[in-house]
Structures are given as C-alpha cells and as structure tokens.
Amino acid sequence: MAVRLGDDAPDFTAETTEGTLSFYDWKGDSWALLFSHPKDFTPVCTTELGAVAGRKPEFDKRDTKIIGLSVDPLDSHQDWAGDIADVTGNALNFPLIADADRKVADLYDMIHPEANDTLTVRSIFVIGPDNKVKLTLTYPASTGRNWDEILRVIDSLQLTAKHKVATPSDWTDGDDVIISGAVSDEDAKDAFPDGWDAKKPYLRLTKQPDK
Ligand code: BEZ
C-alpha cells in the first residue's frame, strides 16, 4: 500500500553499504531523506548519487540523514561506488540499501509495475523527527532529480513545523512567508510583531521568523 503524508514511516532492518541497520535506530530523532534509484551502473543514477553525496554537508546542516536504495545486491553497490566517485568526484558518504529481496521497496511502494515491474522508480520520502512522512515525490527513471529543490523543501518543512506559517511558490530560505490562515489578525499581532502585508485578507506576507 502507498505510504502517504502523515503516515508513520515503515520501520525496517536492511543490509547497506555501511552495514546492517534498523531504520528507526539509525535515524534517531533526526530528519531523514530515504530515496530509491532504479539500478546501479546506469547513467542518470550515477549522476544522482554523486550529486547527493556532494550536498551531504547541506543535509547535515539541516540535521537530515540520507539513505539510498535499489534492488541491486551489496557487491554491486560496492563496485558501483568507485564509478560514482570517478565520474562525479564525490565518494558515496551515506548508506545505500541493498534491497535484492525488495522488502523495503515493497514496504514503501517503490516499484510501480506500469513503469517497470522489477526496478524501483525514483521515489523520495522525507521523514520527520517524529517518524511521520512529511514529503513524498516520484520521478520516472528518465529524469534525474534536483537535490537543491529537496533541500529547499526541507527548509520549508522545518520552518513550518516550528512556526504558524506556510511558504509561497518558489520560496527560498530568507524570503517572506505566509501567516497561517488559522492565525487570527489579533493573534498575529503577538506572533508577528513586525507586522505583515495583507495582499488579500487570506494572504498575509510577513518576514521569515528566526531570520
Ligand atoms: C539511468 O539511471 O540512467 C536509468 C536507470 C534505469 C532505467 C533507465 C535509466
């Protein structure tokens, strides 16, 4: 069954390039990015894995642990790691799940039979400190992902978890934000002392809190 927003992220134990781990134990109270790619030794996947490895410091800044997955076996992941470093200049620096029996892929519904009945699609799950699913995204094999967008979404998820705000289209960290519709103007005066710009009664822009 599909894993949807707000669901408890399914826990699992899996063999990875960094040893066998239990997902909840490994994740602890951090945020996590769990993503699948279709297959080792394929071009788009090679660029993606290097791109994620290169951004690890940015995920670390956001207290977000990274874990990848495909249905290839462990020795394949280990051999492929050399190519990733060779092609992208970034060595694999996060665990890659070897899900040859598709246990985790099935738990998270990462195999979409109408796309390919044996390989995982490019699934993304961002999971919060409470182990609830905060974001799901699915891309086809032919389209490599933009990891800066994933970092941008994590910024929004973390901000909106802490403050009664939402982030507008194309928002990036530091831009003005929208005061939640659940906050009355009266309450907003206390919560947002710098005030706001009411473009419409339902669209009140204010400075990003904590900036
Ligand atoms: C790729 O990463 O390039 C790829 C993987 C599986 C199917 C098609 C393309």
Side-chain angles (χ1 to χ4, degrees), residues 58-128:
E58 290 300 318
F59 286 100
D60 288 344
K61 269 192 221 163
R62 292 159 176 82
D63 186 28
T64 301
K65 296 189 174 176
I66 306 166
I67 189 162
L69 174 151
S70 75
V71 294
D72 298 284
L74 190 59
D75 58 348
S76 167
H77 283 349
Q78 284 160 341
D79 290 348
W80 183 42
D83 284 4
I84 294 167
D86 186 29
V87 170
T88 69
N90 298 317
L92 204 58
N93 51 12
F94 54 86
L96 207 49
I97 297 168
D99 194 36
D101 63 1
R102 306 187 199 181
K103 190 177 73 180
V104 182
D106 285 343
L107 261 183
Y108 280 83
D109 197 26
M110 291 167 163
I111 294 176
H112 296 195
E114 296 300 328
N116 187 305
D117 58 5
T118 55
L119 302 179
T120 44
V121 290
R122 300 189 195 280
S123 296
I124 289 184
F125 299 89
V126 175
I127 297 155

Side-chain angles (χ1 to χ4, degrees), residues 150-170:
I150 305 309
L151 289 165
R152 188 194 75 86
V153 178
I154 291 171
D155 284 340
S156 173
L157 292 171
Q158 294 185 343
L159 180 74
T160 59
K162 200 166 160 206
H163 299 280
K164 291 179 178 166
V165 297
T167 58
S169 178
D170 298 327

Side-chain angles (χ1 to χ4, degrees), residues 137-150:
L137 286 169
T138 308
Y139 292 63
S142 51
T143 303
R145 289 160 282 194
N146 181 328
W147 303 98
D148 290 331
E149 166 63 3
I150 305 309

Side-chain angles (χ1 to χ4, degrees), residues 185-202:
D185 281 354
E186 199 52 37
D187 291 344
K189 284 181 197 155
D190 291 332
F192 305 97
D194 290 339
W196 59 87
D197 176 14
K199 299 286 184 198
K200 293 286 175 191
Y202 57 82

